[in-house]
Amino acid sequence: MRRFMVLLAEIGLIILIVRSPFAQHFLNEVQYNLADTFYALERLPQQRLLQNLREDIENEMPHLKPYQREYLHSITLDSVHLSHFYRAYCAHNEINPNFFGRDRVTLCTKVAGAGLVSGT
């Protein structure tokens, strides 16, 4: 009977500790950190493909100016930015102040060939 009472007291103590504001805050932080880690792991293959695309474009067009390289990095951050660029400047032929002429055609061809944008 005594062991049973000690066990109940330990369970009660654990419940009190877990329900404390500090423990709740700590558990929330752990949950957010795990979610961020899983999200980063999920995006890793796509990030590698985007990096490979960026490097392929930079190798194909070594004459890019610094502002063009910066713009290229911004559109290859993720598939959302890349899709927006492709729809606007490749599919709908809107004027892009950073890439035009042969550079835009090369860029659009590389993006379409990478398979990272749906509908290409």
Side-chain angles (χ1 to χ4, degrees):
M1 181 71 170
R2 183 173 181 189
R3 286 187 183 178
F4 181 72
M5 294 302 285
V6 170
L7 180 63
L8 280 178
E10 288 175 348
I11 291 173
L13 185 61
I14 290 173
I15 290 173
L16 285 175
I17 290 172
V18 169
R19 298 188 94 206
S20 73
F22 171 76
Q24 291 296 311
H25 177 72
F26 175 75
L27 292 173
N28 281 338
E29 287 296 316
V30 168
Q31 178 185 5
Y32 288 127
N33 288 338
L34 282 174
D36 287 345
T37 301
F38 286 131
Y39 181 69
L41 288 174
E42 176 188 351
R43 290 185 52 204
L44 190 60
Q46 184 185 66
Q47 289 299 315
R48 284 189 181 143
L49 291 173
L50 288 164
Q51 181 179 355
N52 290 342
L53 172 63
R54 184 181 320 121
E55 290 171 358
D56 188 29
I57 292 168
E58 287 176 340
N59 289 335
E60 180 89 13
M61 300 188 300
H63 60 277
L64 293 179
K65 295 177 172 69
Y67 74 90
Q68 289 175 310
R69 288 184 189 283
E70 188 175 316
Y71 182 72
L72 177 62
H73 283 257
S74 73
I75 64 173
T76 55
L77 280 176
D78 56 34
S79 61
V80 173
H81 286 90
L82 191 63
S83 294
H84 174 73
F85 170 84
Y86 186 83
R87 277 192 316 273
Y89 303 113
C90 300
H92 296 134
N93 290 322
E94 292 181 20
I95 296 172
N96 185 299
N98 296 298
F99 289 98
F100 47 87
R102 189 181 339 179
D103 285 346
R104 187 176 67 86
V105 171
T106 301
L107 185 59
C108 289
T109 303
K110 291 286 185 184
V111 170
L116 291 166
V117 178
S118 60
T120 59

